[in-house]
């Protein structure tokens, strides 16, 4: 079983995939639970890398999209990667790990 699969299973077991697409930026305790679950799932292994590959896209013209639509997009595509990166930065620095952000044509 891959480490990614193991982490995904741990996150699902703690119901962290059921909270909604932008929950991490809305509730600091959920962010802390997310980080603790990831670190527990990888165990004593050093954290060598972090890949941000999650994003949302709300379709519609500029005048059709609500402020809430824009806020959700910014929360998921911008703020969540920043919060997760900052939370895991000590572990990544200790292992001289890397952070990779994957974007799209819409970034």
């Amino acid at each position: 079983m891959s480490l990614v699969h193991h982490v995904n299973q741990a996150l699902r077991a703690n119901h962290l995939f059921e909270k909604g697409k932008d929950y991490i930026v809305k509730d600091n305790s959920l962010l802390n639970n997310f980080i603790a679950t990831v670190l527990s799932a990888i165990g004593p292994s050093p954290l060598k890398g972090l890949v941000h590959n999650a994003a949302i896209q709300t379709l519609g013209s500029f005048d059709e999209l609500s402020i809430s639509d824009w806020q959700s997009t910014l929360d998921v595509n911008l703020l969540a990667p920043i919060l997760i990166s900052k939370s895991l930065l000590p572990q990544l620095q200790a292992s001289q790990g890397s952070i990779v952000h994957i974007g799209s044509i819409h970034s």
Side-chain angles (χ1 to χ4, degrees):
M1 176 185 321
S2 76
L3 181 58
V4 171
H5 182 72
H6 187 67
V7 170
N8 282 339
Q9 281 188 321
L11 292 171
R12 289 183 200 289
N14 286 306
H15 307 288
L16 292 172
F17 281 142
E18 300 169 12
K19 303 293 183 184
K21 62 187 177 219
D22 54 1
Y23 73 92
I24 283 179
V25 301
K26 304 289 189 211
D27 185 335
N28 199 40
S29 67
L30 288 174
L31 171 64
N32 292 337
N33 190 9
F34 176 86
I35 298 301
T37 299
V38 169
L39 292 176
S40 175
I42 65 172
S45 302
L47 183 62
K48 293 286 192 172
L50 173 62
V51 177
H52 292 288
N53 189 31
I56 61 170
Q57 177 184 1
T58 305
L59 299 177
S61 64
F62 183 79
D63 59 332
E64 293 173 333
L65 296 177
S66 68
I67 295 300
S68 177
D69 293 331
W70 286 106
Q71 189 63 57
S72 289
T73 301
L74 290 172
D75 285 349
V76 173
N77 299 359
L78 179 64
L79 192 54
I82 290 170
L83 293 173
I84 293 168
S85 295
K86 285 182 67 72
S87 296
L88 292 172
L89 193 58
Q91 291 82 5
L92 290 162
Q93 288 175 325
S95 69
Q96 297 182 352
S98 300
I99 300 173
V100 176
H101 293 271
I102 297 175
S104 71
I105 193 169
H106 302 289
S107 294

